[in-house]
Amino acid sequence: MHAYFQKALTVDVSNRSSETEVLSDAMLSACMGGKGLGTHLLLDRNPIGVDPFSPDNHLVFALGPATDSPLHGSCRHGMFAKSPLTGLYSESYAGGSAAIAMSRAGFDAFLIKGAADRPLWLEISDQGVFFHDADDLWGLDTFETEAVLRKRVAAASPGILVIGPAGENCVRFAIVKNDGWRVCGRTGMGAVLGSKKIKAIVFHGGQKRSFADAQGLKAYAKEKLALYKDHAVTQAYRNNGTPMMVDILNKAGGFPSRYWSQGSVKHVEAINAQSMQQRCQPKPKACRTCFLACGKSVRVQQGRHQGLTLEGPEYETIYAFGGLCMIDQIEEIVYLNDLCDRLGLDTMSAGNLAAFAIEARRRGKIDLEIDYNQPDQIAALLKKIVLRQDVGGLLADGIRPASEELGLEEIAVHVKGLEPSGYDPRVLKGMGLAYAVADRGACHLRTTFYKPELAGLIDPDQIEDKAAMFIDFEDRCTLFDTLILCRFYRDLYPWEEIGNMIALTTGESMRKPDLQALAARVTDSARRFNLREGLRATDDWLPKRLLNETLPDGRRMASADLRQLVDDYYRLRGWLDTGQLQDAGA
């Protein structure tokens, strides 16, 4: 079958062994790659009810048929496991260049199982799997670890994935990093690696995929570059990156701030894209095979963090610290972003938990020196979380157990244990549905439905018939994650282009109904995983605070509206009104 190696590699770190298996044409055709393949392997290999930190929790790295191709936005890899943060389905994606090195090892998927008795790092290539002791790396931050391994590995252009101290200590929202600043950030993939005592994985090799129409792919990519390199979408990402969303959401009143009690901040001009331009001299930085260059390499120009360099901060990091924690200087957000990167923490969960801790302190639930707009105190808390010291040990296990222990469930904002992104559902009702039903918890990337609501394609307050457009967006995003492609190309790759890319890579002819059917199968598979892990319809809901509290401007998300959105979604997905799948295997 074109575009696949038709091979998966299973590595058992318990006994330092590996095994190769063949992936059938029928299976690859049914689930494609990326999310489809990763979910299929999780369902097949993970024991039902397995503890996320058990050696039997498989960690799956999956690539797609577009990987290592000329297609723009194709240099991404996906990670899949049972999440230690939510106890449910876990997916996370990262860009950079690592996916190319992973592909050139000659496999479509890598499954990591077992647990080592001492720290190690893995070297995976087309020449075999090598197990290296990592005692000297244990305790190093992510940047130090990658720098050491880049010198230690002789191969050209290796893909190096690392965890930081947060992953080592099984902080349940620890990240996996590559290429310095590219991150599989959400749902705790770094903690899964840490539980297996794996500090890093290095990929390299010389294998190449055989595409159905290699010359056609090159011509297609060249055509798209000529068509879109100066497009308004491209210019927006290249000039401002995701921080452009700060002004947009703040103006709309949907910029979550002061731990979800407000929808805007007065200090917006000190933390927006323009402030970065003026005070951090950002330079566009792109992943391999990308012309959008949404990343921003920044350098703080003045003040106590002068000289600090970073790729970022992204919008979600600015919202988490500049909104929820009310930090009013972009330089301090850069500082907290850098700290999270070094320690190996998801900035979104970190900012949410820091703001939650501030509210807990204000309510007399914890004894901690911390308040809004106190970057040093927030930094100190983050270090406590990583070291699992004092209240940091409680927060390291996530918002759900922390809020239960402190008796603050009424104010805790999360869905299924995962905190939302920076789009308030009281303003953007479709995002309320997105958070409620996303398979990994409160996720904005499962649909990116803030796009049509903010762009005026659909009224943000509309409830009737919204689920239909929502599913159209969700299905297309799911296909992006099977190929695997970057979400930011969503405006450039509509439905017909997805079909074209599949034909050029795999040789399969798929029209929109075929593509929708594929996306639905993948979505149902992720749902099936969650159902067998104990998910119930009551979990497809928003936290009490977002339903019971109005924003200062009076906007709210009514329970009845959310009920209709979720019910419509179930119906259009072909699920039962209990959230179960129709087939008996669910």
Side-chain angles (χ1 to χ4, degrees):
M1 190 173 183
H2 292 293
Y4 299 98
F5 297 109
Q6 295 192 255
K7 294 192 299 181
L9 177 72
T10 297
V11 179
D12 188 339
V13 295
S14 293
N15 55 28
R16 299 197 174 198
S17 66
S18 63
E19 181 179 359
T20 298
E21 65 182 287
V22 175
L23 302 176
S24 70
D25 285 352
M27 189 269 284
L28 290 170
S29 182
C31 63
M32 194 166 285
K35 179 168 182 167
L37 179 57
T39 306
H40 171 83
L41 293 171
L42 271 188
L43 279 168
D44 186 57
R45 309 301 163 84
N46 254 27
I48 297 174
V50 69
D51 187 288
F53 289 147
S54 165
D56 292 327
N57 184 23
H58 288 66
L59 181 60
V60 180
F61 295 84
L63 305 174
T67 306
D68 200 11
S69 78
L71 292 174
H72 299 292
S74 63
C75 192
R76 294 178 67 76
H77 63 274
M79 297 180 68
F80 308 87
K82 183 175 180 180
S83 169
L85 184 64
T86 68
L88 296 170
Y89 177 84
S90 176
E91 61 177 326
S92 197
Y93 304 87
S97 63
I100 293 176
M102 295 169 74
S103 180
R104 293 185 181 179
F107 297 91
D108 299 299
F110 307 86
L111 296 87
I112 313 296
K113 69 176 184 177
D117 56 6
R118 60 184 297 180
L120 57 79
W121 65 275
L122 303 177
E123 184 178 2
I124 299 175
S125 76
D126 51 1
Q127 301 303 306
V129 180
F130 303 94
F131 300 83
H132 304 279
D133 291 340
D135 293 295
D136 62 328
L137 301 177
W138 208 251
L140 297 184
D141 72 29
T142 58
F143 295 113
E144 293 167 336
T145 304
E146 186 172 345
V148 169
L149 291 177
R150 204 162 287 283
K151 293 178 181 178
R152 194 170 291 181
V153 177
S157 303
I160 304 175
L161 281 64
V162 304
I163 65 171
E168 296 172 4
N169 293 328
C170 293
V171 174
R172 292 178 186 266
F173 50 97
I175 64 173
V176 179
K177 284 184 61 187
N178 62 273
D179 294 84
W181 290 280
R182 297 296 171 172
V183 176
C184 281
R186 309 236 68 195
T187 66
M189 295 299 187
V192 178
L193 276 179
S195 72
K196 298 180 183 301
K197 287 288 192 292
I198 299 173
K199 178 66 173 176
I201 307 178
V202 179
F203 298 90
H204 59 86
Q207 302 301 305
K208 292 291 188 72
R209 295 173 185 268
S210 175
F211 297 109
D213 185 354
Q215 291 304 313
L217 266 179
K218 291 180 181 178
Y220 180 89
K222 185 177 180 179
E223 173 191 337
K224 295 305 173 189
L225 177 62
L227 184 63
Y228 292 125
K229 63 183 177 66
D230 296 318
H231 191 276
V233 170
T234 305
Q235 293 302 318
Y237 279 117
R238 186 176 297 150
N239 294 334
N240 293 315
T242 61
M244 64 182 166
M245 300 303 294
V246 175
D247 281 334
I248 294 172
L249 268 298
N250 202 69
K251 183 178 180 180
F255 185 66
S257 47
R258 204 171 185 86
Y259 195 55
W260 296 93
S261 66
Q262 298 175 181
S264 62
V265 293
K266 294 180 179 179
H267 58 267
V268 63
E269 293 184 359
I271 62 171
N272 60 8
Q274 286 67 40
S275 69
M276 277 181 55
Q277 292 281 354
Q278 296 164 5
R279 287 145 53 185
C280 299
Q281 293 189 340
K283 298 179 180 179
K285 188 170 183 181
C287 298
R288 290 278 291 274
T289 68
C290 177
F291 57 76
L292 293 183
C294 73
K296 295 291 168 283
S297 178
V298 305
R299 183 180 180 87
V300 176
Q301 297 302 300
Q302 59 188 7
R304 65 178 189 148
H305 304 303
Q306 184 176 6
L308 177 60
T309 59
L310 177 81
E311 185 178 332
E314 301 287 348
Y315 168 72
E316 301 297 350
T317 302
I318 297 175
Y319 125 78
F321 290 116
L324 297 184
C325 296
M326 301 294 284
I327 302 299
D328 64 2
Q329 294 182 52
I330 192 66
E331 294 90 346
E332 297 298 341
I333 296 174
V334 170
Y335 162 62
L336 292 171
N337 193 159
D338 178 71
L339 180 62
C340 286
D341 283 350
R342 292 182 182 281
L343 297 176
L345 290 172
D346 172 15
T347 58
M348 292 170 66
S349 287
N352 269 272
L353 282 164
F356 170 77
I358 290 168
E359 287 298 318
R361 196 278 304 168
R362 285 176 159 236
R363 286 165 168 77
K365 297 291 186 177
I366 59 174
D367 182 13
L368 187 68
E369 184 182 344
I370 192 170
D371 209 343
Y372 289 113
N373 198 23
Q374 292 187 342
D376 286 336
Q377 285 75 10
I378 292 170
L381 175 61
L382 297 179
K383 293 174 184 177
K384 286 180 180 289
I385 289 172
V386 169
L387 297 174
R388 288 184 168 272
Q389 291 179 345
D390 305 322
V391 72
L394 177 61
L395 296 173
D397 285 330
I399 184 65
R400 184 161 49 191
S403 62
E404 291 172 355
E405 176 70 20
L406 298 174
L408 292 175
E409 297 99 323
E410 294 290 328
I411 71 163
V413 178
H414 68 90
V415 177
K416 304 177 179 75
L418 185 71
E419 306 88 351
S421 54
Y423 306 89
D424 199 304
R426 289 166 289 191
V427 173
L428 304 172
K429 302 299 192 296
M431 289 306 297
L433 176 61
Y435 296 150
V437 301
D439 39 37
R440 73 173 182 177
C443 176
H444 64 298
L445 291 175
R446 187 73 269 124
T447 62
T448 66
F449 205 70
Y450 56 86
K451 171 68 178 180
E453 292 193 307
L454 289 170
L457 299 180
I458 192 169
D459 189 330
D461 289 322
Q462 179 180 329
I463 302 300
E464 196 73 33
D465 298 326
K466 176 164 280 189
M469 177 184 279
F470 180 94
I471 286 177
D472 189 79
F473 268 73
E474 183 177 41
D475 282 349
R476 191 155 60 96
C477 286
T478 296
L479 294 173
F480 270 50
D481 289 339
T482 59
L483 278 167
I484 302 171
L485 299 170
C486 174
R487 284 288 201 289
F488 294 158
Y489 281 80
R490 66 190 163 217
D491 293 323
L492 312 183
Y493 294 154
W495 279 103
E496 59 270 21
E497 298 299 345
I498 297 175
N500 290 337
M501 290 185 283
I502 290 175
L504 290 167
T505 53
T506 72
E508 289 198 62
S509 177
M510 301 183 73
R511 297 182 180 275
K512 185 173 180 179
D514 305 313
L515 296 171
Q516 290 172 311
L518 170 59
R521 286 197 301 274
V522 175
T523 299
D524 284 356
S525 291
R527 184 71 175 185
R528 184 171 289 108
F529 183 94
N530 277 341
L531 290 171
R532 79 178 200 180
E533 296 303 319
L535 179 78
R536 297 293 179 265
T538 51
D539 297 314
D540 294 330
W541 204 242
L542 290 178
K544 294 178 181 178
R545 186 169 197 181
L546 298 185
L547 293 172
N548 295 339
E549 292 185 16
T550 61
L551 287 169
D553 63 8
R555 282 186 281 187
R556 62 191 293 265
M557 179 67 164
S559 295
D561 288 342
L562 180 60
R563 181 75 273 154
Q564 181 176 343
L565 287 169
V566 172
D567 288 348
D568 287 348
Y569 178 82
Y570 284 178
R571 175 177 51 81
L572 293 172
R573 277 278 171 226
W575 299 350
L576 301 176
D577 57 10
T578 59
Q580 300 286 316
L581 302 184
Q582 292 280 359
D583 63 280

